[in-house]
């Protein structure tokens, strides 16, 4: 894993794929490659199939067990950027995974992240509020944001 990450850092590779320990890969990557300015933590993302025209990007899928408001907002920014490149979407539809779609439901962190995303017009995404787990595969959203613990424990 260390050599693969070094190859990315040196420009000999564009990406690394590993079947090894995810935690070790994330830690080594963060130390060797660093995160972009404004991004505190890396996130694991996956493309999931939907019943709609596009797959959806979901993150974080296990890299972080405890996320604050800023992490959730940063994951939305990263997920939208990924969707713009991989899914070729100009303005990806982004939603936060929650226990309901109503604005008063969810943790304080989710509600605060939603407020920030609602008020940010410069992020090249369309924030569409909350989504419940039973609606993920309908194809009505392009990016789902959650913390890694909730995503793997549901």
């Amino acid at each position: 894993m260390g050599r693969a990450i070094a190859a990315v850092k040196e420009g000999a590779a564009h990406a690394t794929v590993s079947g090894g320990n995810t935690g070790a890969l994330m830690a080594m990557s963060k130390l060797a490659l660093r995160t972009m300015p404004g991004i505190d933590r890396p996130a694991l993302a996956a493309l999931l199939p939907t019943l709609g025209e596009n797959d959806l990007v979901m993150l974080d899928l296990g890299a972080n067990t405890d996320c604050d408001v800023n992490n959730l907002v940063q994951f939305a920014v990263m997920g939208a950027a990924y969707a713009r490149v991989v899914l070729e979407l100009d303005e990806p539809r982004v939603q936060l995974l929650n226990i309901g779609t109503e604005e008063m439901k969810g943790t304080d962190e989710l509600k605060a992240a939603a407020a920030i995303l609602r008020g940010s017009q410069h992020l090249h995404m369309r924030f569409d509020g909350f989504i419940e787990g039973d609606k993920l595969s309908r194809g009505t959203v392009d990016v789902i944001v959650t913390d890694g613990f909730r995503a793997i424990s549901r």
Side-chain angles (χ1 to χ4, degrees), residues 6-152:
V8 171
K9 184 174 183 175
E10 295 161 5
H14 295 290
T16 297
V17 177
S18 174
N21 181 294
T22 305
L25 181 69
M26 295 300 277
M28 288 190 297
S29 297
K30 186 173 179 184
L31 287 172
L33 302 173
R34 305 285 181 210
T35 58
M36 294 175 67
I39 303 295
D40 298 327
R41 295 181 178 182
L44 293 175
L47 283 175
L48 303 176
T50 71
L51 298 172
E53 293 182 21
N54 291 324
D55 291 339
L56 73 84
V57 178
M58 186 165 179
L59 71 166
D60 173 38
L61 294 177
N64 301 283
T65 58
D66 186 32
C67 297
D68 65 20
V69 173
N70 291 327
N71 299 139
L72 294 170
V73 171
Q74 291 166 12
F75 295 166
V77 170
M78 290 189 292
Y82 187 80
R84 282 194 303 277
V85 172
V86 173
L87 301 177
E88 299 179 345
L89 301 171
D90 292 330
E91 195 175 48
R93 301 164 296 177
V94 177
Q95 291 186 298
L96 297 172
L97 184 62
N98 199 358
I99 59 170
T101 58
E102 301 86 356
E103 289 187 28
M104 69 242 178
K105 288 191 175 180
T107 64
D108 291 340
E109 290 83 10
L110 278 172
K111 290 186 269 189
I116 291 169
L117 291 168
R118 253 187 228 100
S120 299
Q121 306 303 319
H122 63 283
L123 294 178
H124 306 291
M125 71 174 81
R126 188 174 83 209
F127 179 67
D128 288 339
F130 299 123
I131 189 168
E132 295 176 273
D134 65 333
K135 297 183 179 58
L136 298 181
S137 63
R138 293 186 179 178
T140 59
V141 63
D142 304 309
V143 179
I144 303 287
V145 176
T146 185
D147 63 53
F149 180 72
R150 290 188 218 299
I152 60 174

